[in-house]
Amino acid sequence: MRRVVVTGLGTINPLGNSVNTSWENLIDSKSGISKITKFNVDTYPCKIAGSIEDSQINDEIVSLREQRKIDRFITLGLIAANEAIVDSGFISDEKSSLRSGVMVGSGIGGLDTIYKNSSVLDNQGIRKISPFFIPSSLINLLSGHISIKYNLKGPNSSPVTACATGTHAIGDSFTLIKNNKADFMVCGGAEAAICPLGISGFSAARALCDTFNEQPVKGSRPWDRDRSGFVMGEGAGILVLEELEHAKKRNAKIYGEVKGYGMSGDAFHITKPSEDGNGGYRAMEMALNESQLNPDEIDYVNAHGTSTQVGDMIELSAVEKLFETNNNLFMSSNKSAIGHLLGAAGAVEAVFSFMSMQTKTLPPTLNLDNPDTNTNINLIPNESILKPTKNIISNSFGFGGTNASLIFGL
Amino acid sequence: MSDIEERVKKIVVEHLGVEEGKIQSDSKFIDDLGADSLDTVELVMAFEEEFGCEIPDDAAEKIVTLKDAVTYLSANSN
């Protein structure tokens, strides 16, 4: 059987523009959430987000001229992809490029570009629409750009499963390598939806936190009594997945292994998760079955944990049910520090999961001051803990009732 | 250098990210200055904006060098 390992990591997120910087800030209990200043939010119920300063975007990797022709989600994805590919040390040649692919998705893609061009069309007419409008906003163009820049001619695609996108991208890439359709995959997700239409749309759906506008760092508080919705973040997470022998042959540094992948549908509601948590439960169970691990061998759950009233408890109950016999389980939500990166969330959280295993440190759930639960699971409130882990499960659930879980191991 | 030529050159520098010194009057946008076909569409839009005129598609297709642009805009801009 072909085994799949991780040989490169990259991210840009509200806590920093590299894996090491953002990881250090994460385990230091720093928050990347602040007031939105890029546009006027006076009339918006939610005025906070996990934004990335423009100065954090290295224009030596994506030039300012290039940035003008691509939506911000593509820029952020290219920054993270560069870090991951350089980290992997792999340079494709004529032959290996055919077995090397890209699978990077986004939840919404170029929303702000679509919004701006829509205004241009209404106010100035068709002659003012940029020829780069469509290619700058299409979701799969990020995978396209990465393939062009690094000469990767294997499978090329982009999942679009809302907040589960990043996790599906990694899982689908894992499956492609396992099934011998590729040896090397650049995968993950990118998102840049902190824009007027993005914030107002999620606000209208009553999904965003609207009770901590004056204390932004307190806004994202999974499982806490005072949680009131998620805080949006932006950024990208990219992993390089590689077939084990392929990686060994070139003496690549190996972060760990992808051991299992599960996916399911709720068939219940467009935005709410199924009340009994059965969808998430089945995704985790499928991943566990593929990994051939038993529930007691999982040390840590990198939770979806978005800080919404309903979702947090449903995930927790599904985890409690599946891991009923596991008396030493830890679980935390990275979203408490970086916000919810939508289609990039699962990918950034996968990057942090590998850093957890590598550094033997589990990141905290910030703002968990008054847990809304008596669970026996250690939710790692407010401060990271030193704890070696061998196997981690990471969850992502999206609008439409789409669920994905991955199991990573050392 | 004429005023029009200078303004055209400035747009080309901004949009194609090339050094001003490398732009000759007969440099071709695509072959010599690294533009792709979408870049040339955007260049023409920028010329229209700067010179307050509308360049029809058949005329735009013939603008392939700095000199072509200067000649056209000298004759047609307001």
Side-chain angles (χ1 to χ4, degrees), chain A residues 88-111:
Chain A
S88 79
F90 179 72
I91 297 169
S92 71
D93 58 27
E94 205 176 322
K95 189 166 164 240
S96 63
S97 71
L98 303 176
R99 298 275 300 173
S100 306
V102 189
M103 173 94 66
V104 183
S106 179
I108 321 191
L111 187 63

Side-chain angles (χ1 to χ4, degrees), chain A residues 180-389:
Chain A
N180 202 12
K181 294 187 176 177
D183 297 322
F184 181 98
M185 290 294 295
V186 176
C187 59
E191 203 77 74
I194 303 173
C195 60
L197 208 50
I199 297 292
S200 53
F202 279 103
S203 285
R206 304 290 187 271
L208 295 181
C209 165
D210 59 0
T211 51
F212 286 91
N213 287 329
E214 300 311 314
Q215 296 171 283
V217 300
K218 300 273 181 198
S220 188
R221 41 197 317 120
W223 306 296
D224 184 79
R225 191 184 64 193
D226 298 321
R227 70 194 184 281
S228 69
F230 77 79
V231 176
M232 198 189 291
E234 63 177 349
I238 302 284
L239 291 84
V240 169
L241 265 52
E242 196 167 346
E243 194 271 324
L244 176 63
E245 297 308 319
H246 189 274
K248 276 187 182 165
K249 213 176 287 173
R250 62 180 194 87
N251 288 319
K253 168 182 62 193
I254 293 174
Y255 286 96
E257 183 174 5
V258 183
K259 291 185 169 176
Y261 173 40
M263 55 206 299
S264 73
D266 281 352
F268 176 68
H269 187 267
I270 53 169
T271 58
K272 283 188 291 193
S274 62
E275 281 152 12
D276 57 2
N278 180 258
Y281 180 92
R282 286 182 291 114
M284 288 189 280
E285 188 182 44
M286 187 188 285
L288 208 53
N289 287 343
E290 184 170 30
S291 73
Q292 297 184 332
L293 295 166
N294 70 57
D296 295 349
E297 290 175 285
I298 300 293
D299 304 300
Y300 169 67
V301 183
N302 186 311
H304 186 57
T306 57
S307 185
T308 55
Q309 272 301 332
V310 181
D312 287 8
M313 290 307 147
I314 290 177
E315 179 181 18
L316 181 60
S317 68
V319 169
E320 283 175 326
K321 195 173 161 198
L322 184 62
F323 297 97
E324 203 180 356
T325 58
N326 186 330
N327 295 316
N328 196 23
L329 189 63
F330 291 76
M331 168 156 140
S332 65
S333 168
N334 303 155
K335 291 183 181 77
S336 61
I338 58 174
H340 188 354
L341 275 62
L342 310 178
V348 174
E349 288 156 20
V351 168
F352 288 151
S353 294
F354 281 97
M355 292 305 287
S356 296
M357 288 191 285
Q358 284 292 325
T359 63
K360 301 180 171 56
T361 309
L362 296 177
T365 303
L366 299 186
N367 303 312
L368 184 49
D369 301 327
N370 297 294
D372 194 12
T373 163
N374 296 318
T375 185
N376 290 326
I377 299 170
N378 186 334
L379 298 174
I380 319 176
N382 294 311
E383 284 187 31
S384 57
I385 52 174
L386 292 174
K387 159 93 186 151
T389 46

Side-chain angles (χ1 to χ4, degrees), chain A residues 162-185:
Chain A
C163 308
T165 299
T167 300
H168 277 129
I170 298 165
D172 292 348
S173 299
F174 160 68
T175 305
L176 282 169
I177 295 175
K178 199 173 167 184
N179 291 343
N180 202 12
K181 294 187 176 177
D183 297 322
F184 181 98
M185 290 294 295

